[in-house]
Every structure is written in C-alpha cells, then in structure tokens.
Amino acid sequence: MNSGVCVKGSLYGPAESDFYGVLTDIIELEYPALPIKRTVLFKCNWFDPTKTVGMLVHPRYNIVDVNHRRRYNKYEPFILAEQSHQVHYLPYPSKKRDKKDCFVICFADMRGSGSSSAGRGRGRDTGQGRGRGRGDPEQDPLESSDPGAEQQVLAGRPAPRRAARQPQDQPPATDKTGRIRVTPDAARERLLDSRNDSGSASRAILPIFRSSWFPEGSSWKKLTAEHKGFYFEEFKKGFCWDSTHPEDLIRGVFYRHAANRYKDTLHNMKPDKKEGSVSADTWASWKRDWDTAEAKKKSEAARANRLSEPSGAGTGPVRHTAGSRSATRHKTVMTEELGREPTLAELHVRLHLTKADRIVFVDKRSKDKNDRFQAELAAATQSQAAGEGSSSTPEPIDENELFLSLEAIKKQRVYGIGSASASYIGQSSRLRRGGSSQSQQQAVVSEEIEQRIAREVEERLEQRMRTVEAGFEERVEQRIRTVEAGFDERIRTELARLMTTLPPELRPQFPPPPPPPADDTTSLG
C-alpha cells in the first residue's frame, strides 16, 4: 500500500515549506460524551525538509526530490488526517551518487476523485443493475433521455420543442455562512434544496451517521430521542431553512428522510459488511439484535416483498431506470426540457424506458400500466368526440386524474413516479374539489370567507397589540416616576444622617426661624 504523505508547512507557500514523510500508524480519538466526536490522526516519519540538504526543488520544472536517508530532527509525528495529501515516491533509475538516495515526489489523486473514464462509484461495472429499482450504471439517465422517443411511446403525439439544457449541477442556494437552504417536500418526507433535489440532504446525512454510530442503533426505531436529536443538531450545521417553516416541522421531515437513509445503510452492511466507521462493540451489539428470531422474521418478510412479482410469476421484481436521481429531480429536468410541467404518464415513461432502447419498457408492470393508460385515454377521447354535437362545452381530459385512477394511492405514493407523487396527488385533489362549475363557485365563496376571516383576525390582533403597547408604556413611565421619588427620599434621608456625624464646627449654621405672628391662632391639636 502506498503510504507517502505530504502536509503543507505553516506558511502554505512554495514547495520548500512542505513536509514529506511516510505514514506509520492511524489513530482514532473518540470523545464519548454527547455529542460524540471523533478525529483521526496520522503518525508519520518525516524526511528532512531543509532546503538543499534533505529536499531539492528544480528551479524550472518545480520537481521535488527528497533524501530518504535524512530524517526530520524534531519529534512532531502527528497530523490531522484532513491535513494530509497522498504522494508516491519514485526512485531515480540512476547510479550517480547525488541521485541514488533521492526519491521523486508524485502526488496521487484520491480514489474516486479523478477524472478517469473508467467509471464512477463503487459498484462493479457489470453493465446491468442488480436488485429492485437498480438501473444501468454506465449512463446518466438525464443525459440519455430522449423526449422525442418518449413522446412516441405516449400515443405517437409530437414532442414539444426541447428547451435549452441548463447546467445539470448548479450549486444549491446557501445563506451567508454557506449553509444550504432546504424546504420540505409536499409529502413531508424529504428535504429539497433550491434545485428541488433531495440529493444534497441525502449525501450529507450519511457522513453524520458515520461520525457517531450508537450501540442501540441496530435500527432507526431503536435509536433514542437523544441520539436522533444529536443527528439533527449535526445536520443544522450545514443546512438552514426559511423562518416560515418551524424547526419542529423540519425536524420531523429530517427524521423521516434520515430513517430511509439509515435503513438503506444498515441493509448494505448486513450480514458481514461492517464499515470502518463502526466500532467493534457497536457492531457486536447490532449483530445480537439482528440474530434474534423476531428480527430474522422481519428480514425475510422484507426480502420477499423486494423480490415480489406484482405482474405475475416470471416477470421479475419491479424495476426502474431513474438511476441515483430522485423522481422529483427528473420532474424538474423534464419541466426545463418541455417548457411545462410533465404529466404523470410522461414522467412514468421517462423513469421506465430502458437505456438501450428508449421505446422499450424495463419490466412488464410498467408496460401494462402504460397500455392501460393509453386505452383509458383513447376511450375518454372517443367519448368526448361523440358528445361534441351537444350544446355544452366538453371539459378537457385531465390526464393526471386519469393516471391516478388506474391504481390505488398507498401512503401518498403512486406506482411509477416515486418521490414526485405528493405534488401530483395534492394538485389532483384540488382539481377534484373544483371539478364542476357549482363546486368552483363554492370554492371561490369559501376562499373569500377565509380571506375575510383572516383579515378580521389580523386587524383584531393589531388592535390588541396597540392596546398592550400603550398600557406597557404607561406602566413603564409610572414605574420610572416611583423610582425617582424613592431615590429623592433616600438621598434626603442619607444627607440628614450624615449631618449628625459632622463635627459641630462643620455643621451648617441655619438662622433660627422667625416667631409666629401675634394673630396666628393655628392649633396643633
């Protein structure tokens, strides 16, 4: 294993200030008190960084040579892992005395961070997905989509003009501190960034888990409220939201979003694929929970559901070709391409056509659903055409409503459109409530009543606030007058007391009061 390490010097300046060495040990420090924190240290043996003695830099090509026989004379072996850069030491193919002890420095790219065309990700390049919902990893579904072919599948209708493609990975909106702004989706299940994409939150959640695994966390439900709260506090360090969304709402959506990520992460570890971030004690605790009869029964039931064949024996489990992008993200891209929001049927086709042939469905269930939709749409169109001779104007066919009517809605999800279900379901519900002219009028009246009530409530609140503010100001002024009067009295009393302590010669001599007038008959009784 290549263990060459480079760390920048204190000046972060030219190459002469860099330190080069060899990694000898990796140490992880853990602070067990909540919030649990871990940090990784590298222990290294350093080469002598002295210029012209232990290290040489070519004046023209900036090639760095180190003398591997000379060592740094101070004991400073430890660095933080994030400070390090991986390097490779190459010996000179020379027998000259000035080169035989030298190594040439070559910086190495981290695995997965280069621009190699061999592929991305950690999966094997098999050219075929495995398991439920896996697609073709060799091609980005957003790049391989052909709206024209998809429109041909949808009853041969002509495709709208494709809008100019915007850059795919525009950075999400952030606040002044760099935190990503998120909002909950319509189903309150995921947190979306400004690009209407849940990927930013999903990618950030896994490192939060890896920072602190808990022995009780063999499943998300077994985590305590304190543990889940710790994960949320860590999430808040990188994400923010508008004040219109209460923190309790964001917390609940985060818990549901994180629960899915947690379940998927643990599923990938089972039964014996422990990640390096999981300690031996935590792994042993999880294994004990997973080996119980109840846990094994649930696991078998979940596996049977994943491998079920809803379209009949031999058709295989349900699949899609959406790749790693969410259905919500695909919907956003299609909106940019078509210049309008895609229908449910169009989104369903986008997510279920094969990469090799964009007019072939990936499985039987998706094809059957599209065929049923086309049949229902043709029947509705014929029925509308037959009634064109009547005096009443026919209402346009709601394709989304027609698509939703093909299958029951389960847990705010519709087969074929994944995380984008919530927005369509809510929109369709509003359309159903206002389908006829009478119901539309009722909806308008109800909306006007709600607006009038809202205005009256707002006016009363403002009036109440003005009254409270006026009373508060009056009480403050009265309190100030009382305090001032009390201070005056205390000052007079203190001065009178101090007068009695002064020597007689220093006391002020006041003239005696004049005698009362002869006609003064005021009685003291």
Side-chain angles (χ1 to χ4, degrees):
M1 182 181 69
N2 191 349
S3 56
V5 176
C6 169
V7 62
K8 293 289 185 180
S10 59
L11 297 179
Y12 282 79
E16 290 89 335
S17 64
D18 295 347
F19 282 72
Y20 298 93
V22 178
L23 178 65
T24 60
D25 198 4
I26 300 176
I27 302 171
E28 182 182 50
L29 301 179
E30 178 178 306
Y31 302 89
L34 289 177
I36 295 177
K37 295 294 183 182
R38 294 187 179 93
T39 186
V40 178
L41 300 179
F42 284 175
K43 184 178 181 181
C44 308
N45 286 334
W46 301 108
F47 299 123
D48 187 357
T50 306
K51 187 178 180 181
T52 71
V53 177
M55 183 169 62
L56 298 174
V57 181
H58 196 284
R60 181 176 179 182
Y61 301 108
N62 290 329
I63 298 175
V64 182
D65 298 343
V66 294
N67 190 329
H68 64 84
R69 292 186 178 274
R70 300 189 63 88
R71 293 289 188 266
Y72 188 46
N73 57 6
K74 294 183 179 180
Y75 184 76
E76 296 181 359
F78 298 105
I79 60 172
L80 295 174
E82 56 265 24
Q83 292 178 309
S84 65
H85 299 274
Q86 186 179 14
V87 297
H88 182 60
Y89 300 116
L90 296 177
Y92 270 98
S94 174
K95 299 297 184 181
K96 293 183 179 180
R97 180 179 300 179
D98 60 338
K99 294 295 184 182
K100 67 178 182 179
D101 295 335
C102 290
F103 285 158
V104 180
I105 306 299
C106 293
F107 282 84
D109 288 336
M110 297 293 291
R111 179 176 296 179
S113 64
S115 58
S116 172
S117 59
R120 298 178 298 171
R122 296 181 296 175
R124 297 180 180 178
D125 189 10
T126 60
Q128 184 175 1
R130 296 182 299 165
R132 187 170 188 169
R134 299 297 180 99
D136 185 354
E138 294 183 352
Q139 197 171 17
D140 189 337
L142 294 183
E143 291 295 336
S144 62
S145 299
D146 183 1
E150 293 167 3
Q151 293 290 337
Q152 292 177 11
V153 175
L154 290 170
R157 290 175 292 172
R161 183 178 62 84
R162 181 169 181 171
R165 172 65 62 88
Q166 299 296 326
Q168 278 191 11
D169 295 323
Q170 290 286 348
T174 59
D175 65 359
K176 295 180 180 179
T177 62
R179 296 185 301 170
I180 299 175
R181 293 187 178 276
V182 292
T183 57
D185 65 351
R188 300 292 192 265
E189 292 183 352
R190 293 177 181 273
L191 293 170
L192 309 177
D193 59 21
S194 58
R195 304 169 301 179
N196 206 26
D197 185 13
S198 61
S200 299
S202 294
R203 286 187 292 271
I205 288 173
L206 184 54
I208 293 175
F209 291 156
R210 287 173 173 163
S211 68
S212 295
W213 296 107
F214 299 99
E216 301 86 352
S218 59
S219 67
W220 178 262
K221 291 183 178 180
K222 292 187 177 181
L223 287 172
T224 65
E226 186 178 13
H227 296 155
K228 296 177 182 179
F230 164 74
Y231 288 147
F232 181 64
E233 292 299 322
E234 292 295 307
F235 179 79
K236 287 167 57 178
K237 296 178 181 179
F239 293 84
C240 63
W241 50 88
D242 293 336
S243 58
T244 54
H245 302 297
E247 181 171 311
D248 289 342
L249 171 63
I250 300 296
R251 183 191 300 270
V253 178
F254 169 79
Y255 285 169
R256 286 187 284 275
H257 195 157
N260 292 328
R261 293 289 291 155
Y262 198 88
K263 179 183 66 175
D264 293 342
T265 304
L266 264 60
H267 174 74
N268 293 333
M269 293 189 199
K270 295 178 182 179
D272 296 308
K273 298 179 181 178
K274 183 178 80 69
E275 290 187 359
S277 59
V278 182
S279 65
D281 294 340
T282 300
W283 183 255
S285 175
W286 291 358
K287 292 280 287 184
R288 286 193 297 269
D289 290 344
W290 294 339
D291 289 339
T292 61
E294 180 182 0
K296 290 182 178 180
K297 183 178 179 181
K298 290 182 179 180
S299 178
E300 289 298 326
R303 184 174 183 274
N305 290 335
R306 288 194 300 272
L307 298 178
S308 62
E309 300 177 333
S311 298
T315 60
V318 176
R319 301 171 60 197
H320 65 76
T321 56
S324 60
R325 301 293 182 95
S326 66
T328 303
R329 175 61 178 156
H330 280 283
K331 177 187 173 185
T332 303
V333 173
M334 290 187 69
T335 301
E336 297 174 357
E337 293 175 352
L338 303 175
R340 57 172 175 80
E341 186 177 273
T343 64
L344 282 169
E346 291 170 337
L347 182 59
H348 173 261
V349 168
R350 166 66 64 91
L351 302 181
H352 292 86
L353 293 182
T354 60
K355 304 281 193 307
D357 191 345
R358 295 300 296 176
I359 61 173
V360 177
F361 283 90
V362 72
D363 61 6
K364 186 176 184 299
R365 185 179 183 184
S366 58
K367 183 179 185 303
D368 289 346
K369 183 158 188 176
N370 183 71
D371 292 344
R372 281 191 293 149
F373 171 76
Q374 297 298 337
E376 293 289 340
L377 181 61
T381 304
Q382 292 177 1
S383 176
Q384 188 181 71
E388 287 182 353
S390 61
S391 58
S392 60
T393 303
E395 295 184 359
I397 299 174
D398 185 355
E399 295 188 14
N400 289 342
E401 183 70 21
L402 184 61
F403 190 91
L404 291 175
S405 66
L406 299 179
E407 288 193 27
I409 300 174
K410 298 179 180 179
K411 298 181 179 180
Q412 294 295 305
R413 286 298 181 106
V414 179
Y415 162 73
I417 57 174
S419 59
S421 302
S423 59
Y424 286 106
I425 292 173
Q427 185 182 46
S428 178
S429 299
R430 291 191 296 271
L431 292 174
R432 284 197 297 268
R433 287 196 298 268
S436 63
S437 59
Q438 182 178 1
S439 60
Q440 288 178 356
Q441 294 176 358
Q442 293 176 353
V444 171
V445 172
S446 300
E447 185 176 357
E448 292 178 352
I449 293 175
E450 291 178 359
Q451 292 177 354
R452 187 165 62 251
I453 292 174
R455 287 195 300 269
E456 292 179 358
V457 170
E458 185 176 358
E459 292 174 358
R460 292 184 181 181
L461 286 176
E462 291 179 355
Q463 183 179 2
R464 179 61 177 168
M465 288 297 296
R466 288 193 295 268
T467 303
V468 171
E469 289 176 357
F472 177 76
E473 292 176 356
E474 183 179 354
R475 288 195 298 270
V476 169
E477 292 177 357
Q478 183 178 1
R479 179 62 177 170
I480 291 174
R481 290 193 296 269
T482 303
V483 171
E484 290 177 349
F487 273 123
D488 293 343
E489 183 64 27
R490 289 179 60 184
I491 290 172
R492 286 194 295 269
T493 302
E494 186 67 17
L495 288 175
R497 186 185 66 80
L498 292 175
M499 287 293 182
T500 59
T501 61
L502 293 174
E505 60 273 14
L506 297 178
R507 294 178 185 177
Q509 301 297 324
F510 298 104
D519 60 347
D520 187 2
T521 59
T522 303
S523 176
L524 299 178

